[in-house]
Every structure is written in C-alpha cells, then in structure tokens.
Amino acid sequence: MTTTAPAKPAVDKIWYTRCPVPTASGLAHNLGWLSDAFAARGLQVGVLQEAPPEIARHHFDHRLLGLFREGGNVPALVARSEGAPTRLIGLTWIDEGQAVLTRPDTGIASPADLAGRRIAVPAWADTRAKSFPRAMALHGFRGALALAGLTLDDVEHVEVPPTLSGRPEPDSPAPTWPGLAELAAGTVDAVYVKGARAAEEAAAIGATVAVDLDAVPDRRHRVNNGTPRPITVHERILDERPELVTDFLVQTLRAADWAATDPDGVRRILAAETHSGAEGVARAYADGFHTGLHPDLSDERLDLLAAQEDFLHRHGFLAERVDVRAWAAHEPLAAAREALARATP
C-alpha cells in the first residue's frame, strides 16, 4: 500500500507591503490583527519595508510568493502589464488632498489660469513602476485642466527630479515632493500634490491652492495613483491557499469597521504611516474619511480603475493592456464578508 505525501503549502511566510497612505490593511497590521490571524495558521508575517533589498524590491514587481499588497495602482497595474502573477481582490477610494498648487504671485486661481503656464512633471525613473510620481502629476494636471476644457497640450511641461521616495530627513526644511522646491524657486508655476506629507511641505513654502480636486463632484477628475487603490495578491496564494486570502480580507474589513468608530486612533496611526504630523493629516484627509476604508469590487470602482489603466497605457506606463475586470477575483471578498458576518454576534 502506498501513501501520498501531503501537498507542500504554497507559502511558508506571508509578506505584506503597503504605501504610506490610509488603508484598512495598514490599520490591521498596526493593530496586530494580521500577525495574530496568520499566527493561528502557523505563519509569520513579514513587512516588505523592513526586509532586505532583495526582498523589498518586490513592492514594485509583485513576484514574491506569499505577498499581499495594498497601495498605489500605478505599480500594481505596471506589474500586471509586465506579467506579474497577481489578482485584484479589492479596491478602496479615499480622497486624500489632491490639488494643484501655485505661488501667490502667479495669479493662477482656477483651471483656466493654467493655460500656457509651466507645470512640474517628474522625470522618468529607472522603471515604469517607479515612475509613479510622473504618472500622478500628469493625471492630476489632466483632471484639473479638463475642468476648463483644456488638455496637457495647453501647458508647458518642465521636468523635475522624481524625488518622491522614502522618509523625509528629520528637521530638513527642503521639500521632498517632486516640484515643490522648483515652485518655491520660481522655475515652475504649478505642482500637483496629494496626501499628508505634501500638504505639510506645501504649507511650509507658502504654496496656495489653485485647483482643489477634492472639491470636484465628478470622481473621474480625481482618478489617480491612489484613487482607486487596489489590494492585490500573488495568484498562487489564491489558487493553493484561498483561506489565507480570506483571513487577510477578514482582518482588513474588521479594521475598516474599527476605523469608522475611532477617528482619533486612525489619525494617530496615519501620522506615522504617512511620515507626517497631525497637521498634515488634518489638511489631507477630510472629516469622515475614516468611515470609507472598506474595500469592494463594485462596477463603479472597476470602471474608475479601467480609466486609470487607459490613461497609463496612452502615456507609456504599461507594457501591455490590462483587462481590469478579468484581473479581478470577486470570490475572496465575498467569502471574507460571510466569514466576518458569522463571527459577529
């Protein structure tokens, strides 16, 4: 009589990576819930941002077995377009202080005033995925210009270093958001920014808001790297250990529920996650943002991600087209919701 050896698990360690932005999975990690959930499965959780370079680089290419990622859609879409074995398991939408900034002396006070002016466009980095600051600026300006019936052809593009990376140096007065130093120096007239860190640095140089994209009712003008924000997973986990994907999403949904009841707790965690202070968080994230951290795969969010995919393809950021709807796997989120409902008294 012969026996068959048990199948080797697809993963022996869970890896998690996220961008410095508000996410329910980031909250679940900070609260210790991800580690607890996977420890019950006999698995450790490693954080890519704390890993050696040969591991950390997978934040952009998503070719690490056992990896969950919640972050900007530019690297996620680029990785998928270059053949990364990923599936899309959730999308969130958090408005996080998107704006076009200027100096008080430029006279730019509306989208129409941008015509013929110099806009900061971060240069290409060494890979498409790492060129997300360029993609953000171009799409942010396109959204602003469209409000006045203008296009990117109606402004002068000034390339600036793609300096958005890492943690800012302690006590450094120099802004790290691409284009803010050039705005302060007068070599550009307008800069696209988003998030808490950029809000703090913009305030420090006296920049003023020319176009508040968060105030635009139509979400299509705010589609960008973080709107909508994808949750992706290595497809082998989904194929071979689907219960791990369910666990991850259960803790993410739990954290979103917790966030809706504890805005002060969310802001404390977010200040550390975004490498900014309480003032930057308050400027970048409007009242009530903590109630909208739940992921979904609604038709609306998939359509908005498809709009981002189309923009990235038109501007040279994708090696191949990405069929967003084919990329999405709906079953894990449905299973997580059912599991959470069963566990809730």
Side-chain angles (χ1 to χ4, degrees), residues 101-105 180 183-184 199-209:
L101 303 183
T102 189
R103 295 184 312 279
D105 65 338
L180 283 181
L183 181 66
E200 279 198 339
E201 294 183 348
I205 66 168
T208 59
V209 175

Side-chain angles (χ1 to χ4, degrees), residues 312-324:
L312 295 176
H313 176 258
R314 289 173 182 272
H315 289 269
F317 291 93
L318 301 183
E320 301 289 343
R321 296 304 301 254
V322 176
D323 184 335
V324 166

Side-chain angles (χ1 to χ4, degrees), residues 65-315:
L65 187 62
L67 178 62
F68 290 85
R69 182 185 188 278
E70 182 168 8
N73 60 47
V74 174
L77 285 163
V78 170
R80 179 67 176 180
S81 79
E82 295 176 350
T86 62
R87 295 302 300 275
L88 173 67
I89 57 174
L91 286 166
T92 58
W93 183 285
I94 311 294
D95 284 316
E96 49 179 337
Q98 292 192 74
V100 172
L101 303 183
T102 189
R103 295 184 312 279
D105 65 338
T106 64
I108 300 173
S110 71
D113 295 333
L114 290 168
R117 308 307 289 268
R118 300 167 300 170
I119 67 168
V121 178
W124 286 96
D126 58 349
T127 68
R128 291 184 179 98
K130 292 180 182 178
S131 299
F132 67 93
R134 181 182 182 89
M136 286 197 298
L138 287 172
H139 211 166
F141 276 114
R142 189 183 83 159
L145 289 162
L147 295 171
L150 301 172
T151 73
L152 289 167
D153 292 332
D154 294 311
V155 291
E156 178 184 347
H157 298 207
V158 177
E159 286 207 344
V160 299
T163 51
L164 178 62
S165 62
R167 184 186 297 269
E169 292 296 323
D171 302 320
S172 171
T176 60
W177 187 271
L180 283 181
E182 288 79 7
L183 181 66
T187 56
V188 301
D189 302 312
V191 177
Y192 164 81
V193 300
K194 71 102 176 166
R197 185 165 127 198
E200 279 198 339
E201 294 183 348
I205 66 168
T208 59
V209 175
V211 184
D212 181 0
L213 289 168
D214 285 351
V216 179
D218 188 343
R219 282 186 168 185
R220 289 174 296 179
H221 291 279
R222 303 199 300 281
V223 169
N224 212 302
N225 183 44
T227 42
R229 181 173 293 118
I231 305 173
T232 52
V233 64
H234 195 290
E235 66 182 4
R236 276 192 61 192
I237 308 179
L238 187 56
D239 292 342
E240 300 176 30
R241 297 291 302 274
E243 75 279 7
L244 300 181
V245 182
T246 300
D247 288 346
F248 180 91
L249 288 171
V250 164
Q251 301 311 317
T252 295
L253 291 168
R254 279 186 65 207
D257 288 343
W258 170 82
T261 66
D262 193 347
D264 290 337
V266 174
R267 288 189 179 94
R268 283 193 297 272
I269 292 174
L270 191 53
E273 286 276 285
T274 59
H275 311 320
S276 66
E279 289 186 8
V281 171
R283 286 192 188 98
Y285 303 106
D287 289 344
F289 83 93
H290 63 288
T291 65
L293 297 177
H294 295 80
D296 70 35
L297 286 171
S298 64
D299 286 340
E300 180 197 20
R301 288 185 182 173
L302 287 170
D303 286 345
L304 292 168
L305 184 63
Q308 171 74 336
E309 187 275 343
D310 184 69
F311 177 86
L312 295 176
H313 176 258
R314 289 173 182 272
H315 289 269

